[in-house]
Amino acid sequence: MTGAPLTPPRLRDDCFAMPQGVDWVPVQDALSRLRAALHPVTGAETVPTHAARGRVLADDAIATRSNPPRPNSAVDGYGFAHAATGAGVMRLPLVQGRAAAGQPFDGAVASGEAVRILTGAILPDGVDTVVLEEDCATGAGHVAFDGPIRPRANTRKAGEDVAEGQLALPAGHRLRAPDLALLSALGLGKVTVFRPLRVGVLSTGDEIIAESGAPALPHQIWDANRPMLLALASGWDYAPVDLGHVNDDPAAIAARLDAGARDCDVVLTSGGASAGDEDHVSALLRARGTLSAWRIALKPGRPLALATWNGVPVFGLPGNPVAALVCALIFARPALSLLAGAGWVAPQGFAAPAAFSKRKKPGRREYLRARLNNAGHAEVFASEGSGRISGLSWATGLVELPDGAADITPGTPVRFIPYEAFGLR
């Protein structure tokens, strides 16, 4: 990539606007609207492949050379021309020398002769088949084995993994350690990737003490959301930006949002996202930003404030840590992935027998803190109270109950989504 990095356009100011008359928004409708409203917002840059883990490809990665580059042996053994062999016991004279990985045989092997060859060695001219060492006897300058041998046995074709000019990995793919191995093997020492998404995290509220363990009065609580959300951003391979904590002071919150819009690609706030007297985040976003307060038919975490502030998307998450995590996993994770250039990601869950009983009313999708017991059944945390933060640590995933009514008894299949499916590790 040459010249200045390309930067995608910012989001439209009205991208989060809901149609007139929309009240409670089903979870799936909210996800669909988010997906339609967003696009990548980071520019691209070229980096060494070995340093690209967690980055998102901005361009297709095309193989510059085939892998393997030449036909080679898949085993240690003896190579020869298949046409010179047949059924029964074969005895072929051995040529002087051998073929090894990184040490090709110097010359050609005549028809009716054989050469010692090791795993990974390029097939010498005249060799198209290899017989396994354990199936051979050698002595007096000859090798013997039982025929017939399958043509091209124990050999690898040039480019049988990936051919030169072939697509190795598509744009939008987030690079993992195995991907770095593939790209390196194909001669791609550098890759064009999106700049890491800069995710600002801001917590608000007079009751919040920014640093855990600092002196706190009985009416105050330590900030649980900010470290959780910063860790999520880091675990999702973004660049977390700590915007700190501010009290319920509109001017201070606005100043911190200004800083977030300047230094970040997206901002996550926690607290003040509803419509109460002290919900200054939503009030500010309504007055100076472009707020769309989405009332999601979701438990826990119904209020979700979505806005742009100085052109930067802001996700106003609930202040309750349980609701904040659920909303971050269900809404922020796929949205941030799309903003980062990696496309929309949906968590992969699976059916598991319930180890609990619950009668659910229709109207809201519910997410229960859950884990699998030794029998593989999904058990849920003892309390559904959204203030029980310990349930987040107790759980290894979420049970998702559908929007409609449900009567769950032990053994009823339910959808279990492990934390790992949300990229939470």
Side-chain angles (χ1 to χ4, degrees), residues 40-107:
V41 296
T42 64
E45 59 185 358
T46 300
V47 301
T49 296
H50 66 79
R53 192 208 65 79
R55 304 295 292 273
V56 178
L57 284 174
D59 292 337
D60 290 343
I62 306 298
T64 61
R65 190 175 79 164
S66 295
N67 183 48
R70 296 278 300 279
N72 67 73
S73 178
V75 299
D76 291 347
Y78 297 88
F80 47 85
H82 181 269
T85 65
V89 176
M90 297 288 106
R91 294 182 179 86
L92 303 179
L94 286 169
V95 300
Q96 292 294 317
R98 68 172 192 172
Q103 302 174 31
F105 179 75
D106 185 14

Side-chain angles (χ1 to χ4, degrees), residues 138-224:
T138 58
H142 284 70
V143 60
F145 54 88
D146 287 330
I149 302 297
R150 177 175 51 83
R152 302 192 179 279
N154 300 312
T155 64
R156 306 182 182 113
K157 297 178 181 179
E160 72 173 19
D161 181 20
V162 181
E164 180 179 349
Q166 183 179 336
L167 174 69
L169 292 170
H173 183 82
R174 187 178 295 279
L175 296 171
R176 307 156 300 166
D179 303 319
L180 304 190
L182 173 62
L183 297 179
S184 298
L186 297 174
L188 293 165
K190 295 181 179 180
V191 286
T192 301
V193 293
F194 287 108
R195 175 178 50 75
L197 191 73
R198 298 168 301 191
V199 180
V201 175
L202 172 65
S203 63
T204 67
D206 286 343
E207 77 281 16
I208 299 294
I209 299 295
E211 299 303 325
S212 182
L217 297 172
H219 65 275
Q220 295 176 312
I221 57 175
W222 290 296
D223 193 348

Side-chain angles (χ1 to χ4, degrees), residues 25-38 294 331 344:
V25 185
V27 170
Q28 201 55 50
D29 290 357
L31 290 171
S32 297
R33 290 195 64 81
L34 264 184
R35 186 173 188 174
L38 302 177
W294 290 17
F331 297 105
W344 188 266

Side-chain angles (χ1 to χ4, degrees), residues 362-424:
R364 289 194 292 176
R365 186 171 301 186
E366 295 188 20
Y367 291 91
L368 309 178
R369 287 153 283 177
R371 66 185 184 189
L372 299 182
N373 61 24
N374 290 336
H377 294 197
E379 55 186 25
V380 297
F381 191 55
S383 169
E384 293 184 21
S386 56
R388 300 283 293 273
I389 305 175
S390 61
L392 297 177
S393 293
W394 173 90
T396 59
L398 301 175
V399 159
E400 180 185 67
L401 299 182
D403 301 350
D407 191 1
I408 309 296
T409 58
T412 302
V414 293
R415 186 176 188 233
F416 178 75
I417 310 174
Y419 276 159
E420 289 83 355
F422 293 108
L424 200 165

